[in-house]
Amino acid sequence: MTVFKVGKATITRIEETYLAIYPPADLFPDWSDAHLKAHGHWLVPHHYDPDTRKLKLSVQSWLIQLDGRKILVDACCGNQKSRPTRPWWNMLDTPWLDRLAAAGARPDEIDMVMCTHLHHDHLGWNTRLKDGRWEPTFANARYVFSKPDFDYFQKLDLDPATAPAEFGTFRDCVLPVVEAGRADLVSGPHRLNEFIEILPAPGHSPGHFVFKLEIGGSRAMMTGDVFHHLLQVYYPDWNFPKNSNADDARTSRRRVLDDCAASGALVFPGHVGAPFAGFIEKNGPSFVPQF
Ligand SMILES: [Zn+2]
Protein backbone atom coordinates (compact mmCIF):
# COMPACT_ATOMS: atom_id res chain seq x y z
CA MET A 1 0.00 0.00 0.00
CA THR A 2 1.29 3.47 -0.93
CA VAL A 3 0.85 5.99 1.89
CA PHE A 4 1.97 9.63 2.13
CA LYS A 5 1.84 12.12 5.01
CA VAL A 6 0.88 15.76 4.50
CA GLY A 7 0.99 17.49 7.88
CA LYS A 8 -1.13 15.31 10.13
CA ALA A 9 -3.16 13.93 7.19
CA THR A 10 -2.60 10.45 5.81
CA ILE A 11 -3.12 10.12 2.05
CA THR A 12 -3.39 6.56 0.70
CA ARG A 13 -3.44 5.42 -2.91
CA ILE A 14 -6.34 3.09 -3.74
CA GLU A 15 -5.45 1.28 -6.96
CA GLU A 16 -7.98 0.06 -9.46
CA THR A 17 -5.74 -0.81 -12.45
CA TYR A 18 -2.11 -0.13 -13.44
CA LEU A 19 -1.55 -1.18 -17.04
CA ALA A 20 0.64 -0.63 -20.09
CA ILE A 21 -2.00 0.60 -22.51
CA TYR A 22 -0.96 3.24 -25.02
CA PRO A 23 1.79 3.27 -27.67
CA PRO A 24 3.45 6.61 -26.80
CA ALA A 25 2.85 8.17 -30.23
CA ASP A 26 -0.89 7.44 -29.89
CA LEU A 27 -1.00 9.82 -26.94
CA PHE A 28 1.77 12.24 -27.85
CA PRO A 29 2.36 12.77 -31.60
CA ASP A 30 5.72 14.47 -30.91
CA TRP A 31 7.10 11.30 -29.28
CA SER A 32 10.17 9.75 -30.94
CA ASP A 33 12.83 7.18 -30.09
CA ALA A 34 15.03 10.11 -29.05
CA HIS A 35 12.64 10.72 -26.14
CA LEU A 36 12.98 7.10 -25.08
CA LYS A 37 16.75 7.49 -25.16
CA ALA A 38 16.64 10.72 -23.13
CA HIS A 39 14.08 9.56 -20.57
CA GLY A 40 14.39 5.76 -20.53
CA HIS A 41 16.30 5.79 -17.24
CA TRP A 42 13.20 6.91 -15.33
CA LEU A 43 10.45 5.77 -17.74
CA VAL A 44 11.31 2.08 -17.30
CA PRO A 45 9.73 0.18 -15.60
CA HIS A 46 7.05 2.24 -13.84
CA HIS A 47 6.00 4.60 -16.64
CA TYR A 48 6.86 2.67 -19.83
CA ASP A 49 6.83 -1.06 -20.47
CA PRO A 50 9.76 -1.95 -22.76
CA ASP A 51 8.27 -5.37 -23.67
CA THR A 52 5.03 -4.00 -25.11
CA ARG A 53 6.54 -0.55 -25.91
CA LYS A 54 3.52 1.07 -24.27
CA LEU A 55 3.09 3.82 -21.69
CA LYS A 56 1.83 2.71 -18.29
CA LEU A 57 -1.05 4.53 -16.65
CA SER A 58 -2.57 3.94 -13.26
CA VAL A 59 -6.25 4.37 -12.43
CA GLN A 60 -6.38 5.26 -8.76
CA SER A 61 -8.20 7.15 -6.03
CA TRP A 62 -6.67 9.02 -3.13
CA LEU A 63 -8.06 8.58 0.39
CA ILE A 64 -7.40 11.54 2.70
CA GLN A 65 -7.74 10.76 6.43
CA LEU A 66 -7.51 13.71 8.80
CA ASP A 67 -8.88 14.09 12.35
CA GLY A 68 -11.28 11.16 11.83
CA ARG A 69 -12.54 12.52 8.51
CA LYS A 70 -12.30 10.31 5.44
CA ILE A 71 -12.34 12.03 2.05
CA LEU A 72 -12.08 10.23 -1.27
CA VAL A 73 -10.59 12.04 -4.27
CA ASP A 74 -11.78 10.53 -7.57
CA ALA A 75 -13.55 7.21 -7.88
CA CYS A 76 -11.92 5.26 -10.75
CA CYS A 77 -14.04 3.23 -13.22
CA GLY A 78 -16.05 1.05 -10.83
CA ASN A 79 -17.28 -2.52 -11.15
CA GLN A 80 -19.91 -3.78 -13.60
CA LYS A 81 -19.91 -0.53 -15.58
CA SER A 82 -20.55 -1.25 -19.26
CA ARG A 83 -17.97 0.69 -21.33
CA PRO A 84 -17.56 -1.39 -24.51
CA THR A 85 -15.61 1.36 -26.26
CA ARG A 86 -13.06 1.34 -23.41
CA PRO A 87 -12.07 -2.35 -23.28
CA TRP A 88 -9.45 -1.89 -20.53
CA TRP A 89 -12.10 -0.61 -18.16
CA ASN A 90 -15.24 -2.40 -19.39
CA MET A 91 -17.27 -4.49 -16.90
CA LEU A 92 -14.48 -4.51 -14.32
CA ASP A 93 -14.57 -6.75 -11.30
CA THR A 94 -11.72 -5.52 -9.09
CA PRO A 95 -11.22 -5.71 -5.30
CA TRP A 96 -11.10 -1.89 -5.08
CA LEU A 97 -13.51 -1.82 -2.11
CA ASP A 98 -11.30 -4.33 -0.26
CA ARG A 99 -8.30 -2.08 -0.92
CA LEU A 100 -10.26 0.89 0.43
CA ALA A 101 -11.12 -1.12 3.56
CA ALA A 102 -7.46 -2.14 3.98
CA ALA A 103 -6.58 1.57 3.86
CA GLY A 104 -8.99 2.22 6.72
CA ALA A 105 -12.36 3.15 5.21
CA ARG A 106 -15.60 1.25 4.76
CA PRO A 107 -18.00 2.85 2.23
CA ASP A 108 -20.35 4.16 4.94
CA GLU A 109 -17.42 5.86 6.69
CA ILE A 110 -16.56 8.12 3.75
CA ASP A 111 -17.61 11.69 4.59
CA MET A 112 -16.95 13.25 1.23
CA VAL A 113 -16.23 12.24 -2.37
CA MET A 114 -14.51 14.87 -4.48
CA CYS A 115 -14.32 14.35 -8.24
CA THR A 116 -11.75 16.39 -10.13
CA HIS A 117 -13.93 16.12 -13.23
CA LEU A 118 -16.84 14.13 -14.65
CA HIS A 119 -15.02 11.59 -16.88
CA HIS A 120 -15.79 7.87 -16.69
CA ASP A 121 -12.52 6.92 -14.96
CA HIS A 122 -13.04 9.34 -12.06
CA LEU A 123 -16.65 8.53 -11.16
CA GLY A 124 -17.12 4.76 -11.33
CA TRP A 125 -17.26 3.92 -7.63
CA ASN A 126 -19.68 6.78 -6.98
CA THR A 127 -22.38 4.17 -7.48
CA ARG A 128 -22.76 0.40 -7.30
CA LEU A 129 -25.49 -1.99 -8.38
CA LYS A 130 -28.10 -2.82 -5.77
CA ASP A 131 -31.20 -4.78 -6.81
CA GLY A 132 -30.60 -3.82 -10.44
CA ARG A 133 -30.29 -0.09 -9.70
CA TRP A 134 -27.28 2.20 -9.42
CA GLU A 135 -27.13 3.56 -5.87
CA PRO A 136 -24.56 5.81 -4.18
CA THR A 137 -21.76 3.57 -2.87
CA PHE A 138 -20.95 6.02 -0.09
CA ALA A 139 -24.32 6.36 1.60
CA ASN A 140 -23.26 8.99 4.15
CA ALA A 141 -21.03 11.09 1.91
CA ARG A 142 -21.55 14.45 0.29
CA TYR A 143 -20.32 14.25 -3.31
CA VAL A 144 -18.59 17.35 -4.68
CA PHE A 145 -19.09 17.71 -8.44
CA SER A 146 -17.97 20.47 -10.78
CA LYS A 147 -21.04 22.47 -11.84
CA PRO A 148 -19.48 23.53 -15.19
CA ASP A 149 -18.79 19.84 -15.94
CA PHE A 150 -22.27 18.84 -14.78
CA ASP A 151 -23.87 21.43 -17.08
CA TYR A 152 -21.65 20.38 -20.01
CA PHE A 153 -22.33 16.64 -19.71
CA GLN A 154 -26.02 17.15 -18.93
CA LYS A 155 -26.37 19.04 -22.21
CA LEU A 156 -24.60 16.21 -24.11
CA ASP A 157 -26.77 13.65 -22.33
CA LEU A 158 -30.02 15.42 -23.22
CA ASP A 159 -29.09 15.73 -26.92
CA PRO A 160 -30.00 12.54 -28.82
CA ALA A 161 -27.05 13.21 -31.16
CA THR A 162 -24.51 12.91 -28.30
CA ALA A 163 -26.33 10.84 -25.65
CA PRO A 164 -25.52 8.98 -23.53
CA ALA A 165 -22.81 11.37 -22.32
CA GLU A 166 -19.37 10.00 -21.51
CA PHE A 167 -20.25 6.37 -22.50
CA GLY A 168 -23.22 6.34 -20.10
CA THR A 169 -21.24 7.56 -17.09
CA PHE A 170 -23.47 10.60 -16.59
CA ARG A 171 -26.48 8.31 -16.18
CA ASP A 172 -24.97 5.55 -14.04
CA CYS A 173 -22.41 7.48 -11.91
CA VAL A 174 -23.67 11.08 -11.67
CA LEU A 175 -27.48 11.26 -11.92
CA PRO A 176 -28.15 8.57 -9.24
CA VAL A 177 -26.07 10.61 -6.77
CA VAL A 178 -27.92 13.82 -7.67
CA GLU A 179 -31.31 12.07 -7.44
CA ALA A 180 -30.39 10.72 -3.99
CA GLY A 181 -29.80 14.32 -2.88
CA ARG A 182 -26.14 13.69 -2.07
CA ALA A 183 -24.45 15.94 -4.68
CA ASP A 184 -23.07 19.44 -4.16
CA LEU A 185 -22.52 21.19 -7.49
CA VAL A 186 -19.66 23.64 -7.05
CA SER A 187 -18.19 26.39 -9.22
CA GLY A 188 -14.57 27.24 -8.51
CA PRO A 189 -12.69 28.91 -7.08
CA HIS A 190 -14.29 27.78 -3.83
CA ARG A 191 -12.95 27.23 -0.32
CA LEU A 192 -14.47 23.93 0.78
CA ASN A 193 -13.24 23.89 4.37
CA GLU A 194 -10.31 25.04 6.50
CA PHE A 195 -7.81 22.93 4.57
CA ILE A 196 -9.18 22.31 1.03
CA GLU A 197 -9.51 24.90 -1.73
CA ILE A 198 -11.10 24.05 -5.09
CA LEU A 199 -9.49 25.75 -8.09
CA PRO A 200 -10.59 25.60 -11.75
CA ALA A 201 -8.14 24.03 -14.22
CA PRO A 202 -10.24 23.75 -17.40
CA GLY A 203 -9.27 22.18 -20.71
CA HIS A 204 -9.29 18.40 -20.29
CA SER A 205 -12.93 18.98 -19.40
CA PRO A 206 -14.68 22.37 -19.17
CA GLY A 207 -15.00 22.27 -15.39
CA HIS A 208 -11.91 20.30 -14.38
CA PHE A 209 -10.83 21.12 -10.81
CA VAL A 210 -7.65 20.78 -8.82
CA PHE A 211 -7.82 20.48 -5.02
CA LYS A 212 -5.28 22.47 -3.05
CA LEU A 213 -4.59 21.23 0.49
CA GLU A 214 -2.84 23.10 3.26
CA ILE A 215 -2.52 21.22 6.54
CA GLY A 216 -0.44 22.73 9.33
CA GLY A 217 1.89 24.47 6.86
CA SER A 218 2.28 21.36 4.64
CA ARG A 219 0.89 21.60 1.13
CA ALA A 220 -0.50 19.13 -1.38
CA MET A 221 -2.23 19.39 -4.75
CA MET A 222 -4.61 16.78 -6.13
CA THR A 223 -4.21 17.42 -9.86
CA GLY A 224 -6.57 14.91 -11.52
CA ASP A 225 -5.93 14.87 -15.26
CA VAL A 226 -4.09 18.20 -15.62
CA PHE A 227 -1.35 15.83 -16.78
CA HIS A 228 -1.71 12.08 -17.33
CA HIS A 229 1.95 11.12 -17.59
CA LEU A 230 5.21 12.57 -16.22
CA LEU A 231 6.38 13.18 -19.81
CA GLN A 232 3.94 16.11 -19.79
CA VAL A 233 5.85 17.67 -16.88
CA TYR A 234 8.98 17.78 -19.05
CA TYR A 235 6.88 18.76 -22.09
CA PRO A 236 3.93 20.76 -20.69
CA ASP A 237 2.58 21.50 -24.18
CA TRP A 238 2.04 17.77 -24.85
CA ASN A 239 -1.70 17.21 -24.54
CA PHE A 240 -3.53 14.00 -23.81
CA PRO A 241 -5.75 13.50 -26.90
CA LYS A 242 -9.07 13.91 -25.12
CA ASN A 243 -9.78 17.55 -24.24
CA SER A 244 -12.78 19.86 -24.33
CA ASN A 245 -10.36 22.69 -25.22
CA ALA A 246 -6.75 21.85 -26.11
CA ASP A 247 -5.39 25.39 -25.63
CA ASP A 248 -7.02 25.71 -22.21
CA ALA A 249 -5.58 22.31 -21.22
CA ARG A 250 -2.04 23.57 -21.97
CA THR A 251 -2.63 26.86 -20.15
CA SER A 252 -4.04 25.10 -17.08
CA ARG A 253 -1.18 22.57 -17.06
CA ARG A 254 1.48 25.29 -17.02
CA ARG A 255 -0.38 27.29 -14.36
CA VAL A 256 -0.87 24.28 -12.07
CA LEU A 257 2.75 23.09 -12.54
CA ASP A 258 3.97 26.63 -11.78
CA ASP A 259 1.83 26.70 -8.64
CA CYS A 260 3.09 23.26 -7.52
CA ALA A 261 6.72 24.26 -8.09
CA ALA A 262 6.36 27.61 -6.31
CA SER A 263 4.44 26.24 -3.33
CA GLY A 264 6.47 23.05 -2.85
CA ALA A 265 3.23 21.04 -2.79
CA LEU A 266 3.31 17.25 -2.80
CA VAL A 267 1.49 16.44 -6.05
CA PHE A 268 -1.09 13.63 -6.32
CA PRO A 269 -2.00 13.03 -10.00
CA GLY A 270 -4.81 10.85 -11.30
CA HIS A 271 -2.87 8.41 -13.49
CA VAL A 272 0.90 8.71 -12.97
CA GLY A 273 2.82 5.49 -12.26
CA ALA A 274 4.99 4.56 -9.27
CA PRO A 275 5.84 6.13 -6.90
CA PHE A 276 2.51 7.82 -7.77
CA ALA A 277 3.07 11.18 -5.99
CA GLY A 278 5.97 13.63 -5.86
CA PHE A 279 7.20 17.18 -6.32
CA ILE A 280 7.61 19.53 -9.29
CA GLU A 281 10.70 21.65 -9.94
CA LYS A 282 10.83 24.58 -12.32
CA ASN A 283 13.47 24.22 -15.05
CA GLY A 284 13.57 27.33 -17.27
CA PRO A 285 10.44 27.33 -19.41
CA SER A 286 9.71 23.72 -18.41
CA PHE A 287 9.55 21.52 -15.33
CA VAL A 288 11.17 18.42 -13.85
CA PRO A 289 9.24 15.89 -11.75
CA GLN A 290 10.83 14.75 -8.50
CA PHE A 291 8.75 11.64 -8.04
ZN1 LIG B 1 -8.67 10.26 -16.10
Side-chain angles (χ1 to χ4, degrees), residues 22-25 28 30-56 229 231 234-235 238:
Y22 296 106
F28 308 124
D30 288 341
W31 167 269
S32 68
D33 283 347
H35 294 100
L36 182 58
K37 207 170 173 188
H39 295 285
H41 63 283
W42 65 265
L43 281 170
V44 178
H46 299 307
H47 307 278
Y48 175 85
D49 175 33
D51 296 331
T52 58
R53 298 175 65 85
K54 290 177 176 174
L55 293 177
K56 290 185 75 174
H229 197 278
L231 283 166
Y234 289 95
Y235 307 106
W238 285 15

Side-chain angles (χ1 to χ4, degrees), residues 8 16 38 66 76 98 107 123 137 146 153 159 169 173 178 182 224 242 251 261 267 275 280:
K8 58 185 177 175
E16 186 174 71
L66 173 62
C76 301
D98 296 336
L123 302 169
T137 306
S146 160
F153 288 108
D159 182 344
T169 303
C173 299
V178 174
R182 306 224 64 89
K242 177 178 175 174
T251 302
V267 178
I280 304 293

Side-chain angles (χ1 to χ4, degrees), residues 99-259:
R99 294 173 188 152
L100 183 68
R106 294 192 314 270
D108 60 358
E109 294 177 314
I110 297 287
D111 303 292
M112 196 184 293
V113 180
M114 304 176 65
C115 298
T116 54
H117 61 300
L118 299 190
H119 281 171
H120 73 102
D121 54 320
H122 296 259
L123 302 169
W125 281 104
N126 284 358
T127 57
R128 57 179 166 180
L129 265 185
K130 198 176 174 195
D131 303 326
R133 287 169 50 88
W134 295 107
E135 294 196 346
T137 306
F138 311 103
N140 299 315
R142 298 304 304 175
Y143 287 68
V144 177
F145 293 151
S146 160
K147 185 170 189 315
D149 263 12
F150 182 88
D151 293 346
Y152 174 78
F153 288 108
Q154 185 180 48
K155 194 168 173 225
L156 293 179
D157 202 62
L158 289 171
D159 182 344
T162 48
E166 190 59 14
F167 328 112
T169 303
F170 191 76
R171 295 180 186 182
D172 59 29
C173 299
V174 177
L175 288 183
V177 175
V178 174
E179 285 159 7
R182 306 224 64 89
D184 295 318
L185 301 182
V186 171
S187 297
H190 175 75
R191 175 159 283 286
L192 191 67
N193 58 33
E194 69 276 24
F195 66 95
I196 301 179
E197 202 179 345
I198 297 176
L199 299 173
H204 181 56
S205 72
H208 190 294
F209 286 152
V210 296
F211 305 128
K212 197 172 188 174
L213 276 58
E214 187 164 349
I215 303 161
S218 298
R219 295 189 171 96
M221 189 85 91
M222 323 296 293
T223 55
D225 288 3
V226 166
F227 55 94
H228 288 73
H229 197 278
L230 289 183
L231 283 166
Q232 293 169 282
V233 176
Y234 289 95
Y235 307 106
D237 291 332
W238 285 15
N239 261 345
F240 193 77
K242 177 178 175 174
N243 296 293
S244 58
N245 184 310
D247 288 339
D248 286 355
R250 291 189 183 94
T251 302
S252 289
R253 186 173 309 115
R254 283 192 175 274
R255 194 179 61 240
V256 170
L257 288 169
D258 263 328
D259 192 347

